[in-house]
């Protein structure tokens, strides 16, 4: 056990503090955002994270967890000070370090004899040394140690991930300090890797970059599947049964978002380039991910030609299910691209609407998926929330102007959707895309259907796409 201070009561810091408190430690979470701290002191959380509210409230009441904005009150009595402030991307892809620097400065003022500073945030390789230099400068006479202890928490399952880690990674030049942090994690039955600071920091970046690479890899294979008529979901299953590959992070879709993968791949690529290396693979991973969002526009242009004035419905806004986090969410880029084309956007998300609203002022926020479908020309699945998987699809189809559904997360099956009368597109489901965009404008399904019906676009039912076929040959 120990007296712990966590600096930064955000997605990572709050989970870290609440979990350490639940393990019996005395924890003070500190944040510069006084409003956030006042709400936390009342047990009101600034974020949606399954299981976290109950954990915070239980430990608040037990007196093991407290919140403050006062560095002296938080740091001075602590044996361990975890730094979990955010490390966002800078303008050129480098990591914004000002929050780490200011936290280290403030911690430095109040470190006591033998305080162990633990970097929990994802920080550029070498930051452990920087933090030590800052603290040494601010408070040279007190002995202290710095340990890197990167987090591997997924939003939406962060509490579970903290309490059931695959491994604990510790890096330090001070072995005793690393062992003291290892003892904090003695409740977990998992391997503990103790190494140097830089290697521990690199384990975090390499892990996130590899997971992002798997996602861009499967998305590239999905694009080839669409051309060659294979189904990426079955391909991924066939791959994943190989123990050397495993099934995780092989879901094709609109690509990765969140506060980590985009930032960490970019930061690692930037670090490599800054040291004279050419991060070819990391750059390709980012390029593929960027292009995934554009798939939606491509498909819609194929269906409608011009998107000017089209009503497009989005289901899901958060960057992934079970969170309200909108950071680098695919919905942000999809919305911007569609509005650029003159489309009108309606959207619903089970948790993220209030977080998304100020980020998407031109979007009509709806109270449920059916309200989104009402009067929309097409529906896009952007985030795979469970509640979208059991929708009354016949009701959805009856509400849509056209039965067009683009499944950005492959939550439905093409044949079943076509049997229900949808014009269904998934990602990599083997449905050959139509002509290149230029031709699609004149050859678009609904433009030609409207010409044939010689009337304004009412609810003309476009022809069914045969599985793996394309609309071209049916449009004669
Ligand atoms: C975390 C890690 O810190 C980051 O490195 C990782 O890549 C993603 O997860 P996260 O917890 O998601 O970042 O950030 P956020 O939810 O924004 O929380 C950061 C908190 O630190 C905020 O509450 C902010 O107010 C606080 N903060 C920031 C401080 O208390 N002091 C500062 O100087 C800066
Ligand atoms: C990630 C890492 O998993 C975690 O270890 C690290 O600490 C923080 O970053 P997180 O970003 O919260 O966690 O979510 P994750 O579940 O990993 O998904 C990241 C993104 O990849 C999401 O946008 C998700 O939609 C996408 N994704 C994930 C895919 O597109 N396909 C997949 O197969 C898996």
């Amino acid at each position: 056990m120990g007296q712990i201070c966590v600096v930064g009561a955000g997605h990572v810091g709050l989970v870290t503090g609440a979990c350490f408190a639940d393990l019996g430690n005395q924890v003070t979470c500190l944040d510069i955002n006084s409003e956030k701290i006042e709400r936390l002191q009342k047990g009101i959380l600034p974020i949606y994270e399954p299981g976290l509210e109950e954990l915070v409230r239980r430990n608040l009441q037990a007196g093991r967890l407290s919140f403050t904005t006062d560095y002296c009150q938080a740091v001075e009595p602590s044996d361990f000070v975890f730094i979990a402030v955010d490390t966002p991307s800078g303008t050129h892809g480098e990591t914004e370090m000002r929050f780490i620097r200011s936290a280290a400065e403030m911690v430095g003022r109040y470190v006591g004899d033998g305080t162990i500073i633990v970097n929990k945030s994802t920080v550029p390789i070498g930051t452990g040394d920087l933090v030590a230099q800052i603290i040494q400068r601010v408070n040279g006479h007190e002995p202290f140690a710095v340990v890197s202890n990167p987090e591997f928490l997924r939003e939406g399952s962060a509490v579970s991930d903290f309490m059931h880690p695959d491994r604990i990674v510790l890096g330090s030049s001070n072995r005793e300090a690393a062992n003291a942090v290892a003892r904090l994690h003695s409740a977990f039955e998992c391997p503990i890797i103790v190494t140097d600071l830089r290697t521990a920091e690199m384990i975090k970046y390499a892990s996130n970059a590899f997971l992002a690479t798997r996602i861009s890899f499967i998305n590239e294979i999905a694009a080839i599947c669409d051309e060659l008529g294979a189904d990426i979901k079955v391909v991924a299953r066939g791959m994943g049964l190989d123990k050397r590959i495993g099934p995780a992070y092989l879901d094709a879709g609109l690509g990765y978002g969140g506060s980590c993968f985009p930032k960490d791949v970019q930061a690692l690529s930037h670090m490599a380039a800054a040291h004279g290396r050419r991060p070819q693979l990391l750059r390709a991973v980012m390029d593929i991910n960027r292009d995934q969002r554009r798939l939606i526009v491509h498909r819609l242009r194929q269906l409608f030609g011009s998107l000017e004035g089209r009503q497009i419905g989005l289901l899901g806004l958060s960057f992934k299910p079970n969170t309200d986090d909108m950071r680098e969410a695919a919905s942000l880029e999809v919305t911007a691209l569609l509005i650029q084309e003159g489309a009108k956007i309606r959207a619903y998300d089970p948790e993220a609407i209030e977080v998304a609203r100020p980020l998407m002022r031109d979007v009509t926020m709806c109270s449920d998926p059916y309200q989104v479908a009402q009067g929309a020309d097409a529906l896009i699945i952007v985030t795979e929330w469970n509640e979208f998987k059991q929708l009354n699809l016949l009701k959805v189809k009856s509400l849509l102007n056209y039965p067009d559904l683009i499944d950005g997360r492959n939550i439905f099956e093409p044949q079943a959707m076509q049997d229900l009368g949808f014009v269904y597109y998934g990602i990599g489901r083997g449905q050959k895309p139509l002509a290149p965009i230029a031709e699609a404008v004149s050859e678009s399904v609904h433009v030609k259907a409207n010409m044939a019906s010689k009337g304004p676009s009412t609810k003309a039912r476009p022809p069914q796409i045969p599985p793996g076929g394309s609309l071209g040959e049916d449009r004669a």
Side-chain angles (χ1 to χ4, degrees):
M1 298 303 143
Q3 175 81 28
I4 296 173
C5 164
V6 179
V7 179
H11 289 82
V12 169
L14 191 53
V15 170
T16 301
C19 289
F20 271 135
D22 212 47
L23 290 168
N25 298 287
Q26 198 64 37
V27 178
T28 302
C29 281
L30 178 143
D31 202 293
I32 56 172
N33 183 327
S34 54
E35 187 192 330
K36 180 178 281 193
I37 290 297
E38 280 158 29
R39 291 165 66 84
L40 282 165
Q41 285 165 338
K42 298 172 191 149
I44 302 168
L45 272 59
I47 55 174
Y48 170 77
E49 180 64 49
L52 185 58
E53 185 173 61
E54 195 261 332
L55 206 64
V56 167
R57 289 187 172 172
R58 181 166 73 234
N59 286 282
L60 260 176
Q61 278 154 12
R64 284 190 298 265
L65 181 62
S66 61
F67 297 96
T68 183
T69 56
D70 182 332
Y71 263 93
C72 179
Q73 175 195 344
V75 173
E76 209 158 50
S78 293
D79 308 309
F80 301 91
V81 178
F82 283 77
I83 297 179
V85 297
D86 47 318
T87 50
S89 289
T91 44
H92 304 294
E94 80 288 3
T95 301
E96 173 53 73
M97 293 293 288
R98 60 195 163 98
F99 302 141
I100 289 281
R101 289 177 183 277
S102 66
E105 292 266 355
M106 293 302 290
V107 166
R109 289 185 198 168
Y110 304 104
V111 286
D113 180 3
T115 304
I116 298 173
I117 291 89
V118 187
N119 280 343
K120 182 57 86 171
S121 294
T122 305
V123 290
I125 287 59
T127 300
D129 299 325
L130 169 69
V131 167
Q133 288 156 15
I134 291 172
I135 294 175
Q136 184 66 35
R137 171 170 51 79
V138 173
N139 191 344
H141 56 277
E142 288 290 351
F144 65 90
V146 175
V147 175
S148 165
N149 172 218
E151 48 88 13
F152 301 98
L153 309 179
R154 292 165 298 167
E155 290 187 31
S157 57
V159 172
S160 170
D161 288 347
F162 188 98
M163 292 302 198
H164 308 94
D166 292 336
R167 77 301 201 185
I168 301 296
V169 172
L170 301 171
S172 183
S173 55
N174 180 324
R175 186 73 192 215
E176 273 175 47
N179 291 340
V181 179
R183 285 192 292 276
L184 273 187
H185 296 85
S186 55
F188 306 131
E189 290 159 18
C190 69
I192 297 185
I193 293 178
V194 181
T195 180
D196 61 270
L197 276 165
R198 286 172 176 260
T199 303
E201 290 160 347
M202 177 55 88
I203 290 171
K204 170 65 185 177
Y205 274 107
S207 299
N208 271 8
F210 180 72
L211 292 169
T213 301
R214 278 178 75 109
I215 294 166
S216 284
F217 174 82
I218 203 66
N219 281 331
E220 178 146 284
I221 299 300
I224 301 169
C225 283
D226 268 334
E227 289 299 330
L228 301 179
D231 184 344
I232 192 62
K233 286 194 82 165
V234 182
V235 168
R237 174 162 160 67
M239 289 172 62
L241 289 170
D242 183 322
K243 284 191 290 296
R244 296 168 301 171
I245 299 173
Y249 289 75
L250 291 179
D251 296 335
L254 293 179
Y256 60 79
S259 67
C260 295
F261 285 176
K263 165 179 72 74
D264 295 350
V265 176
Q266 200 171 41
L268 188 55
S269 174
H270 185 270
M271 279 181 255
H275 288 79
R277 309 301 301 186
R278 285 182 56 233
Q280 304 160 72
L281 181 58
L282 295 176
R283 285 176 178 159
V285 166
M286 292 186 280
D287 289 347
I288 292 167
N289 199 59
R290 182 201 57 230
D291 293 347
Q292 284 309 103
R293 279 85 154 117
R294 298 177 180 171
L295 270 179
I296 298 292
V297 182
H298 187 89
R299 288 288 192 220
L300 287 170
R301 281 197 201 139
Q302 290 168 347
L303 288 167
F304 295 102
S306 161
L307 300 186
E308 186 63 41
R310 290 289 173 193
Q311 283 282 351
I312 307 298
L314 305 187
L315 292 190
L317 295 174
S318 58
F319 85 91
K320 63 180 278 196
N322 301 320
T323 178
D324 60 358
D325 197 341
M326 286 294 295
R327 290 178 287 186
E328 303 288 325
S331 62
L332 292 168
E333 197 162 343
V334 167
T335 301
L337 290 169
L338 292 178
I339 288 175
Q340 222 169 16
E341 302 273 326
K344 306 281 182 232
I345 312 293
R346 322 158 50 76
Y348 165 75
D349 185 285
E351 291 294 342
I353 284 186
E354 290 318 314
V355 179
R357 201 183 292 278
L359 306 172
M360 303 173 140
R361 296 192 185 287
D362 299 333
V363 170
T364 302
M365 296 298 180
C366 300
S367 54
D368 64 59
Y370 301 105
Q371 197 184 20
V372 174
Q374 176 74 52
D377 293 314
L379 197 59
I380 320 288
I381 305 291
V382 179
T383 311
E384 67 280 23
W385 283 93
N386 280 336
E387 72 178 75
F388 300 152
K389 297 172 183 172
Q390 301 292 329
L391 283 176
N392 177 338
L393 291 169
L394 286 175
K395 179 178 176 185
V396 167
K397 190 166 75 111
S398 70
L399 294 167
L400 286 167
N401 290 340
Y402 293 99
D404 297 347
L405 192 143
I406 300 176
D407 187 356
R409 296 293 177 180
N410 288 338
I411 64 174
F412 297 118
E413 287 307 313
Q415 191 54 57
M417 296 300 280
Q418 284 158 18
D419 293 350
L420 286 172
F422 280 93
V423 176
Y424 172 88
Y425 282 114
I427 306 282
R429 307 309 298 276
Q431 298 159 291
K432 189 170 170 50
L434 294 174
I437 289 178
E439 290 169 50
V441 173
S442 58
E443 295 291 313
S444 72
V445 173
H446 300 309
V447 167
K448 290 194 80 173
N450 293 337
M451 275 159 53
S453 67
K454 301 242 186 309
S457 66
T458 53
K459 286 203 169 186
R461 290 281 177 236
Q464 299 311 307
I465 309 173
S470 76
L471 293 162
E473 58 270 23
D474 304 291
R475 299 304 305 146

